[in-house]
Amino acid sequence: MKKLFILFLTSAVCHLTSYITFSQSNNGNVFTKGTDEYKMFMARQNFFGGDYRSALKTYKEVLKNRPNDGAVYFYIGECYYMMKEYESALDELEKAKSLDPNATSELSLVLGKTYHARALLDKALEELGAYRKTVADNIKKIAESEVDVEIAQCNVAQDLMAKPVNAKIIQLIDINSQQDDKGPVLANGDKTIIFTSRRPTGAQSKTDTEGDFGFYDDIYESYWSDEKKIWLSAELIRGPINTEGYDACSSISNDGTMMFIYRNNSAQARGGDIFRAEKVTAGKWTTPEILLKPINTSYYEDAACISSDGNTLYFVSERPGGLGRGDIYESKKTADGWVEPVNIGAPVNTPFDENGLFLLPDGKTLFFCSNSPASMGSYDIFKTTIGADGKWTVPVNIGYPINSVDMETKFVMTADKKTAYISSVRENGLGERDIIMIDISNYNGMTGESR
């Protein structure tokens, strides 16, 4: 989320330049309805509005009239990239390059990012390096911030993939869906897993018509079967937890009695706020209550987790004054309630995004996700520990294959420290993000002091 405006501005400037070049080279009038130039213009509007499928459809219409135009192949490939259909993106972008290596000013950048997403790191670095050398002077400072991060992440990916950690990835079938499944949280002695999903839930399922038209997030739970050694099919969590908006479970207290929830809906939490629910009889939860100031503000707040003694709350906020847009904060509890939160600062927080918090019961080891240059690509899981001086250590990337060139956005660990769960996008996954089990019984560096 951090740098979103900068990256959008970079992309907008580059695309505007490329589009003007396209239009001029074809002697077109962009305002003549029905022409290829008009279709290209409308496709760009759909693209920048996030409607990549409509843009893709229009570009393919133009391609019928311009089967040898590298720029059109580029725009098609870019749509596939944004839709995370990387194989299709690579086909189209490589075709664009074969037809015209200078088809658009961003060809090397997007091709490099696509190679990165496919873990073709040597090719990615070659393309990204070429883009960095040729980017126009008037956007160089903005564009370099994006390409430099991408290059740094490729280098991290090469280093970590060359020395994988001793962890075994176990794909889960029964609790995942073809939609986005994320944010695993363990409860009831690690026999219950609670997570967030965008799967349809029947006649009451609603879609985000003001966003990406996907189903709203709801919170689900599944139970471990000792007999079958599997997680049973997930069901909506019991109690008045889910709403018609976005609902996500951030964490459950170590004693299992308190759940922290993220909500984003027009009725209670426009923009995103932290709620708390308490467990009652029969495993049900009370109606969540919003946390008041100074925890929630008019800005985005999420990812709350509480220390074992209940006296320290950690969460993510985009309130002003941070190192970037989404930083980790802590607040201490007194007899009068929560005190003004304090940004935990560098080196944990960065000018990039931090989120997805998980605090070990010792209160000294914090796992979180970040899309900083220290990740392999997109978001990775990091670990930091707090020393006797009260300062957090430099975060450590917990390594490959737990992390990958794609997105990892949440980490939790069982009490015996032998099994972990993450939410991740993997090549052989069922949908978007999936809940993945990891055997970490032989990974010595998972807990304790940073290496």
Side-chain angles (χ1 to χ4, degrees):
M1 289 182 289
K2 295 174 186 171
K3 291 196 174 181
L4 183 61
F5 174 74
I6 293 176
L7 299 186
F8 178 85
L9 178 60
T10 303
S11 187
V13 172
C14 291
H15 279 106
L16 179 60
T17 303
S18 298
Y19 178 74
I20 291 172
T21 301
F22 174 90
S23 182
Q24 289 175 343
S25 66
N26 291 283
N27 299 317
N29 182 349
V30 71
F31 298 106
T32 303
K33 191 172 183 179
T35 63
D36 289 343
E37 287 74 21
Y38 176 84
K39 291 179 181 179
M40 292 286 288
F41 179 81
M42 296 307 297
R44 292 324 285 162
Q45 306 313 301
N46 286 329
F47 180 90
F48 287 122
D51 189 356
Y52 306 122
R53 294 198 180 278
S54 293
L56 177 63
K57 180 180 179 182
T58 304
Y59 286 134
K60 286 185 174 181
E61 291 177 6
V62 175
L63 186 64
K64 293 177 182 178
N65 296 329
R66 304 183 187 276
N68 297 311
D69 194 316
V72 181
Y73 280 101
F74 165 79
Y75 291 123
I76 291 173
E78 187 185 37
C79 286
Y80 279 126
Y81 174 81
M82 296 302 294
M83 292 158 56
K84 301 186 184 300
E85 297 182 21
Y86 298 127
E87 284 293 340
S88 296
L90 207 53
D91 289 342
E92 303 298 331
L93 293 168
E94 289 182 334
K95 179 68 172 179
K97 183 177 180 179
S98 69
L99 289 169
D100 181 4
N102 301 310
T104 74
S105 63
E106 281 201 298
L107 176 55
S108 291
L109 175 63
V110 180
L111 182 55
K113 290 167 69 174
T114 307
Y115 281 134
H116 183 188
R118 299 295 300 135
L120 301 169
L121 301 174
D122 288 337
K123 289 185 176 182
L125 287 167
E126 181 181 352
E127 293 294 336
L128 295 168
Y131 175 78
R132 194 179 189 282
K133 291 178 181 178
T134 60
V135 66
D137 290 340
N138 63 328
I139 58 171
K140 189 169 184 179
K141 289 183 180 180
I142 299 175
E144 278 187 349
S145 67
E146 177 180 8
V147 72
D148 286 349
V149 169
E150 200 83 24
I151 289 171
Q153 291 178 343
C154 285
N155 287 324
V156 170
Q158 284 187 327
D159 290 343
L160 294 183
M161 291 174 74
K163 47 183 179 183
V165 300
N166 197 350
K168 181 181 178 182
I169 304 297
I170 304 168
Q171 296 284 358
L172 299 176
I173 301 298
D174 297 283
I175 64 173
N176 286 307
S177 69
Q178 293 182 344
Q179 283 73 36
D180 199 27
D181 302 299
K182 60 187 179 182
V185 173
L186 295 170
N188 297 331
D190 301 328
K191 299 296 185 180
T192 300
I193 189 167
I194 297 171
F195 64 97
T196 304
S197 179
R198 298 190 73 178
R199 67 189 67 184
T201 55
Q204 278 140 14
S205 296
K206 293 185 179 294
T207 57
D208 184 358
T209 57
E210 295 181 358
D212 61 4
F213 292 91
F215 294 104
Y216 284 106
D217 282 329
D218 278 325
I219 301 173
Y220 289 76
E221 61 185 350
S222 172
Y223 302 97
W224 177 257
S225 170
D226 285 322
E227 178 183 357
K228 297 180 180 180
K229 302 299 181 185
I230 60 169
W231 289 104
L232 302 177
S233 296
E235 298 180 351
L236 285 168
I237 195 168
R238 290 171 289 175
I241 298 296
N242 292 310
T243 68
E244 292 185 352
Y246 285 99
D247 304 282
C249 177
S250 297
S251 69
I252 293 177
S253 60
N254 287 308
D255 63 7
T257 63
M258 188 185 310
M259 180 192 297
F260 289 98
I261 297 164
Y262 166 80
R263 278 185 173 177
N264 188 343
N265 58 52
S266 58
Q268 298 173 296
R270 186 178 294 275
D273 283 320
I274 298 167
F275 287 68
R276 181 186 66 190
E278 295 183 358
K279 195 170 186 180
V280 293
T281 57
K284 293 183 179 180
W285 296 87
T286 60
T287 300
E289 296 181 353
I290 192 169
L291 298 187
L292 302 177
K293 290 184 177 181
I295 304 302
N296 283 314
T297 67
S298 59
Y299 296 88
Y300 165 90
E301 276 84 32
D302 191 6
C305 63
I306 197 166
S307 60
S308 294
D309 61 11
N311 292 327
T312 306
L313 184 72
Y314 295 94
F315 64 99
V316 170
S317 177
E318 293 184 356
R319 66 191 65 196
L323 275 70
R325 190 170 178 182
D327 281 354
I328 303 172
Y329 287 76
E330 69 172 2
S331 177
K332 298 292 184 179
K333 191 174 185 180
T334 68
D336 297 323
W338 297 107
V339 303
E340 188 67 30
V342 176
N343 188 306
I344 69 171
V348 178
N349 287 320
T350 70
F352 297 84
D353 265 326
E354 282 71 53
N355 211 312
L357 311 185
F358 172 66
L359 183 68
L360 285 187
D362 64 9
K364 299 178 180 180
T365 308
L366 179 68
F367 293 86
F368 65 97
C369 68
S370 176
N371 64 347
S372 76
S375 86
M376 295 177 61
S378 187
Y379 290 84
D380 275 4
I381 307 300
F382 292 81
K383 180 193 72 173
T384 181
T385 59
I386 194 166
D389 59 358
K391 295 181 179 180
W392 293 97
T393 57
V394 175
V396 174
N397 188 311
I398 65 174
Y400 174 84
I402 301 175
N403 287 317
S404 71
V405 295
D406 219 310
M407 178 188 295
E408 286 76 39
T409 53
K410 179 70 174 182
F411 173 96
V412 293
M413 185 191 303
T414 56
D416 62 11
K417 300 181 175 64
K418 293 182 178 181
T419 306
Y421 295 86
I422 63 172
S423 46
S424 178
V425 177
R426 298 292 162 116
E427 185 175 354
N428 55 347
L430 290 181
E432 298 173 41
R433 277 172 289 187
D434 284 337
I435 308 299
I436 295 175
M437 180 189 292
I438 309 170
D439 180 353
I440 57 171
S441 56
N442 295 312
Y443 182 5
N444 296 326
M446 185 56 69
T447 61
E449 295 297 323
S450 298
R451 295 175 297 172

